[in-house]
Structure formats: C-alpha cells, structure tokens
Amino acid sequence: MMVVEMAEGSTRRDLDRVCESMAGGGRSYKVAAGRGGAYVMSADVACGEESAPFRAFPGVRSVSVTTCCHPLASREIGGESRPMELARGLWIGDGEPLVMAGPCAVESRKQLLATAEGVQQAGARVLRGGAFKPRSHPYAFQGLGSEGIALLKEARATTGMPVVTEVMSSEEAEWVAPHIDILQVGARNMQNFSLLRTLGELDRPVLLKRGMCATVEEWLQAAEYILAGGNERVILCERGIRSFDKNTRNTLDLSVVPLLKSMTHLPVVVDPSHATGRWELVAPMSLAALAAGADGLVVEVHCDPAEALCDGPQSLTLDDFAHLMTRASKMFHALNEEEPSWRMPIAR
Ligand code: PEP
Ligand code: MN
C-alpha cells in the first residue's frame, strides 16, 4: 500500500489535491489523522513507480510504499518507540515498568478502596477495575455500571491514582471518557471496529487487549483503527491466547513482547492474570514478562479473593501482590542496575 504523509502546516487544499488525484486514478483511499499532518492511505498502489508523482504535490512530506497492513502502528512509518504520557506526570515506555493493578470488577466501595490503597502502597501506579463487565455467562455478575464508575472516581480522589476501566460499546466509551483516565478494550472486543473508531476520536489512552485468537497482525490492525482516528495513545496488552490445554485459562504468549518491540513503537504490557487464570502462576509470569522487556503489567488483585464476584481464582491477595512487587523490583534492579520509579521497598 501507499502512504502519503502530509507535512505539518500543509493546507486543506493540499490534502484535497492528493485525494482528488487518487480518486481520479480510480484508486480507493482513506485519510488518517497523523502526528503533524494527515496521512492518505491507499491499498491500491503497490509499486514505487505509481507513487512517484505524489512526491511532487505541494504539502506532501513523504511518500512510502509498504507491504505493512498497519502502517501507523509500525516502526517503519510510525517511527521509533517513545514514552507516552497517560495522565498528568504518568508515563509508560520510559524504561521503567508501570504496574496497573486492582480487582477484576468494582464490587463495592469497601472492596475497591481497600484494594486501591493496598496496591498503591505496594507500588502500583494505575488502579484497574471493571464497571461494565464482558461476561461469557449471560447470568453472571455484569458489573455495577455507572455506580462502579462513581466508585472508581472516588478511589482516584482518595489515592491520587489514575484509573482504567473497560468499555464495550461506542456509547459506553463516549459516556465513560470524561470520567476515567484510560479506557480498556477487552479481548472479546478487539475487533469491535465501530468501538475502535470511536476510541480513535476520543482524547483518552486506550489499553487494547489482544483478542483470544488474534494474530499479531490483526491486533496491530485493531490498534491502527484507533491511531487512524488521530488518537496516538494505544497500549498493547498481551493477555494470553486460546489454546488446547485446560490447566491454564489461556496460553501466555511472551514471545510477543520482544516481537512487538521490533514491529511497533507502541508500549506493550502483559496481563498474567487472564493469561493463566491461576493466582499462583501470576507472580512467575509477571517476572518473566518484565524480563522479556514488557513496559508494564496489568495484575488482578483483590482484598479478599475468596469472596470475589469475578475472577477470584486468578486474583492475588494484597500481601502476595506486595511480595511480587518486591521481587519485581529486585529483578528490575539486577537487570538494569538502577532503581525503578515505582514506589516499593527496594530489596537488596
Ligand atoms: C478484564 O480485564 O477483566 C478482562 C475481562 O480481560 P480480557 O478482556 O483480557 O478477558
Ligand atoms: Mn478479570
């Protein structure tokens, strides 16, 4: 495909000229929002010769022909990895792992506040908690909805931690965005293209989970939908893929971490909780993810896992989470010979 990048400061007229020429040549195209100017993408141009005339158009910064099906998400067109600001003063991808932790679902004020305070003390920087839960079982607890959003806001006010929560539809995304810092797309919705398009237009970072059976290309194409709308803040989250063995809930594909690092500039985090479905496997897989170069973790933690309404068997207790953070700190220290910025006891 051909990617025409418009220069910063190029005019509407410049863009129209490129589009008219594409259409005149019978080629289909799409305009994507970009960092400086817009991009015009056409899947109908496959060779350099055909793309050459576009280089001379006024306002055009560069013209590339690529076989990549997710150009903005690629390093080739989208550039090198760079730190991403998720909320005021909170960065991911700056070399220091960012840990998001909290319950699977917001269940009650008491449960959320106890868990939020515990994970914060242990060094988590973002509080997770589902208010709208995508449950396979139609009669299982579906989340507290708007009441859950209000509780997340209260937990943020109490702890100062930004919050991440899942949205399942465009309507939910638009409604939730003004209240919540980071919006999550769950595995079951990774290819909900109308939701992805809506998220592309919102000014909120998106935690994009890998679909249960999604290839890396499909996942990056899902990210591309968001990037193409002008929202550059997409975080990729590996949460395990479906496999044949029933001993674990999913199969954690850790090789995808260094692989994605070579393919995309987007930050990559790992969710060992949904990947394994078993709390006792969460700590070892968290350490392995950080050793593989993940930019962060998403970990389910509950103040009382035995009473959890959702995903109790994979949730860490507050003590186990604090222990994991201490070990992660030790490991990060050993690998990088510098202290991470997360607030946790630095073990020596
Ligand atoms: C979750 O984060 O609670 C969740 C439902 O995750 P996933 O979409 O990865 O299953
Ligand atoms: Mn869960």
Side-chain angles (χ1 to χ4, degrees):
M1 66 180 286
M2 174 171 70
V3 180
V4 178
E5 184 187 6
M6 303 305 292
E8 216 168 317
S10 59
T11 64
R12 178 76 222 185
R13 178 84 197 96
D14 295 338
L15 179 64
D16 287 346
R17 252 193 233 117
V18 171
C19 296
E20 279 157 22
S21 175
M22 293 253 196
R27 306 174 190 99
S28 64
Y29 66 90
K30 282 264 180 298
V31 178
R35 257 180 292 166
Y39 289 89
V40 188
M41 316 282 195
S42 177
D44 296 344
V45 181
C47 71
E49 215 174 290
E50 228 187 306
S51 73
F54 289 94
R55 289 175 214 278
F57 276 66
V60 168
R61 181 160 177 253
S62 68
V63 179
S64 329
V65 176
T66 174
T67 51
C68 178
C69 51
H70 42 74
L72 299 178
S74 75
R75 293 174 77 102
E76 186 189 344
I77 307 284
E80 296 295 297
S81 297
R82 44 198 175 264
M84 183 184 281
E85 191 170 23
L86 299 179
R88 201 179 307 154
L90 181 76
W91 295 78
I92 189 165
D94 59 356
E96 289 167 352
L98 175 78
V99 179
M100 311 188 199
C104 177
V106 179
E107 297 169 8
S108 68
R109 187 166 182 274
K110 191 165 163 246
Q111 170 248 18
L112 187 65
L113 293 181
T115 309
E117 278 161 20
V119 298
Q120 183 182 40
Q121 265 167 30
R125 289 294 200 88
V126 175
L127 175 66
R128 65 147 285 148
F132 300 96
K133 294 302 302 172
R135 303 304 300 276
S136 301
H137 195 317
Y139 303 115
F141 174 61
Q142 308 279 319
L144 296 181
S146 57
E147 193 190 333
I149 300 294
L151 290 173
L152 284 166
K153 287 170 77 171
E154 185 180 344
R156 173 177 54 199
T158 313
T159 61
M161 267 192 295
V163 288
V164 55
T165 203
E166 176 162 355
V167 288
M168 296 187 286
S169 66
S170 295
E171 296 71 38
E172 262 170 32
E174 278 163 355
W175 184 82
V176 167
H179 304 286
I180 295 292
D181 305 276
I182 305 170
L183 302 177
Q184 175 174 321
V185 175
R188 292 157 190 79
N189 271 311
M190 190 206 79
Q191 286 188 316
N192 179 342
F193 298 115
S194 58
L195 171 61
L196 299 176
R197 274 201 203 92
T198 301
L199 292 168
E201 286 165 12
L202 296 174
D203 185 22
R204 281 287 178 274
V206 178
L207 180 67
L208 178 63
K209 291 197 151 194
R210 182 182 189 176
M212 311 204 184
C213 297
T215 64
V216 169
E217 271 74 25
E218 287 163 343
W219 190 9
L220 289 172
Q221 284 175 299
E224 185 86 8
Y225 269 87
I226 303 170
L227 300 175
N231 184 352
E232 295 177 1
R233 293 187 291 172
V234 179
I235 307 158
L236 301 168
C237 178
E238 160 65 30
R239 47 77 72 205
I241 48 178
R242 230 189 221 161
S243 187
F244 52 86
D245 199 305
K246 294 280 163 281
N247 284 286
T248 51
R249 185 171 176 180
N250 291 290
T251 296
L252 178 57
D253 181 6
L254 270 188
S255 62
V256 88
V257 175
L259 178 69
L260 283 169
K261 291 272 158 200
S262 71
M263 296 173 76
T264 179
H265 50 88
L266 299 172
V268 183
V269 300
V270 171
D271 169 350
S273 309
H274 293 90
T276 63
R278 297 171 64 150
W279 71 268
E280 68 274 31
L281 302 181
V282 168
M285 291 303 98
S286 298
L287 298 178
L290 295 177
D295 295 299
L297 300 171
V298 181
V299 183
E300 283 190 344
V301 181
H302 196 288
C303 56
D304 186 1
E307 294 300 316
L309 296 180
C310 186
D311 286 350
Q314 69 192 34
S315 298
L316 293 185
T317 61
L318 290 169
D319 282 350
D320 284 340
F321 178 66
H323 184 54
L324 162 63
M325 292 295 271
T326 305
R327 292 174 67 211
S329 167
K330 238 191 214 177
M331 196 189 72
F332 184 87
H333 197 75
L335 289 177
N336 295 278
E337 291 178 353
E338 65 192 43
E339 293 189 1
S341 65
W342 50 28
R343 280 162 293 132
M344 65 167 74
I346 303 295
R348 308 231 178 245

